[in-house]
Amino acid sequence: MSEPVTSPVVIAIDGPSGSGKSSVSKAVAARLGLAYLDTGAMYRAATVWSMETADLADAAAVTTAVRAMPLVMGLDPAAPGVELDGRDVAVTIRSTEVTTNVSKVASNLDVRAELKRLQRAIIDQESDAAAAVQSGGRGIVAEGRDITTVVAPDADVRVLLIASEEARLRRRSLEVHGAADAGAVEATKDQVLRRDQDDAKVTQFLVAADGVVTVDSSDLDFEQTVDAVLAVVAQVTGREVAPSA
């Protein structure tokens, strides 16, 4: 286990559905003693709140709802909770209904602007020892669709985590259905690929922008992927982290 870094560092990790960015980002944050921000969970929470308080077909009403949303994001990589108006919605945001509707909210450009504002505020907070909730000012790993290009284009380390379609579908099928047989993969396919297609209309997360390092995890297991991202961190920042056992 490495010692936590002693100066603020911001690591931004982007990638398509099933690339492993959430689980890898949490592991990287834990290894480095940093906070962890799941920006995708913020869009899902916004979807839950909008479904409860607005008409999803009314873009202006959804924007108004999201601007007033009482959201608290947990930043502990070991237990990153999500609260809406004091309610734990960490399970609710992963429901099929939310997954089906999240693109309707995430494609709203005014909603995106509001959530980006909140995301930047959290990133700044965790880089400030006096304001940090989780990291003591050591910094944060933030992951999401446009984190490397729009939310945190000035992050110290920017990574695009990719994987083949086959690998992504297999991983998401295991996560959602607990199996990766042909039937389970087929049941997951529309959800994964449609979400990527919908989100690609409003953000770029399939091709690395200038200065963003691509890590392809298609042929890597989980620990190898974490080590590959940590190697990028070490290369860019000079902070060495011992490889996993």
Side-chain angles (χ1 to χ4, degrees), residues 110-187:
D110 290 328
V111 166
R112 297 191 74 83
E114 173 62 15
L115 293 185
K116 288 170 191 170
R117 182 188 68 79
L118 295 175
Q119 292 156 12
R120 288 183 179 121
I122 292 171
I123 290 169
D124 290 344
Q125 164 193 292
E126 290 302 317
S127 297
D128 181 347
V133 172
Q134 176 65 34
S135 70
R138 291 184 294 270
I140 190 167
V141 177
E143 56 101 345
R145 294 291 200 189
D146 53 3
I147 198 77
T148 63
T149 54
V150 177
V151 177
D154 56 350
D156 300 286
V157 182
R158 295 184 295 156
V159 173
L160 177 66
L161 185 60
I162 64 171
S164 67
E165 181 178 302
E166 178 184 9
R168 294 191 294 116
L169 289 173
R170 182 178 67 252
R171 292 168 185 168
R172 186 52 57 89
S173 179
L174 284 169
E175 177 186 336
V176 175
H177 303 290
D181 56 63
V185 169
E186 187 62 31

Side-chain angles (χ1 to χ4, degrees), residues 171-200:
R171 292 168 185 168
R172 186 52 57 89
S173 179
L174 284 169
E175 177 186 336
V176 175
H177 303 290
D181 56 63
V185 169
E186 187 62 31
T188 309
K189 188 173 184 178
D190 178 67
Q191 180 188 110
V192 170
L193 301 185
R194 179 175 52 80
R195 175 78 195 282
D196 284 347
Q197 290 167 358
D198 288 345
D199 286 356

Side-chain angles (χ1 to χ4, degrees), residues 12 29 43 66 75 87 93 95 101 113 127 133 136 143 157 175 189 234:
Y43 283 99
V66 172
L75 305 177
R87 294 175 292 139
I93 64 172
S95 69
N101 287 294
S127 297
V133 172
E143 56 101 345
V157 182
E175 177 186 336
K189 188 173 184 178

